[in-house]
Amino acid sequence: MAFQSVDVKNKYVKLSELKVGSSISGYMLGFEASTKNDGTNMVMKIDGERVIIGAIGNIKYAVKDNKIKIGLNTRFTRLEDTKVKGKTATRFSIEQDPDDATTEVSVGQLMAAATAPSASMAEKIKSLKG
């Protein structure tokens, strides 16, 4: 392992800019809190480069529900937008290949993903506490 500067700028990809039918794929390295809102960003390795991707549309719910696994080759494909409750919702196909994984994921990232309760579970626990 080598030290790296904390001032490194990471490439940021906006999935909303993908054309319908286009996809982006790479290895899921982890998740981090967004600095622009209270959402979550995904950290991926795409073509050898570390890339930050904002979780939008149905992807943010998949992240929140811990459906996206760290370390696996992951593909997001842009689908047609749909109307949900009168609003336009951005939709994606989310696919992961369990037979194609990377070893570049840290033990800390794996442990955090394995032990982090989903938001719905956290809400259930909170409601049980009264």
Side-chain angles (χ1 to χ4, degrees), residues 75-89:
R75 178 171 52 199
F76 300 108
T77 304
R78 176 80 185 259
L79 304 174
E80 289 282 344
D81 291 348
T82 59
K83 290 280 185 181
V84 177
K85 298 180 183 177
K87 295 181 181 180
T88 302

Side-chain angles (χ1 to χ4, degrees), residues 9-22:
K9 294 286 184 186
N10 292 303
K11 182 177 180 183
Y12 186 86
V13 174
K14 290 184 178 184
L15 291 177
S16 61
E17 294 177 353
L18 286 177
K19 292 181 182 179
V20 172
S22 296

Side-chain angles (χ1 to χ4, degrees), residues 20-90:
V20 172
S22 296
S23 63
I24 190 168
S25 63
Y27 292 97
M28 185 63 59
L29 299 179
F31 304 96
E32 62 182 34
S34 172
T35 58
K36 295 184 179 182
N37 57 39
D38 62 349
T40 301
N41 289 331
M42 300 174 290
V43 181
M44 295 182 72
K45 186 164 193 171
I46 300 173
D47 296 329
E49 185 178 5
R50 188 175 189 268
V51 177
I52 306 297
I53 300 174
I56 62 168
N58 61 312
I59 295 173
K60 66 183 172 187
Y61 298 107
V63 169
K64 184 172 138 181
D65 294 339
N66 293 321
K67 291 183 178 181
I68 300 175
K69 305 301 178 204
I70 293 175
L72 300 182
N73 194 1
T74 305
R75 178 171 52 199
F76 300 108
T77 304
R78 176 80 185 259
L79 304 174
E80 289 282 344
D81 291 348
T82 59
K83 290 280 185 181
V84 177
K85 298 180 183 177
K87 295 181 181 180
T88 302
T90 308

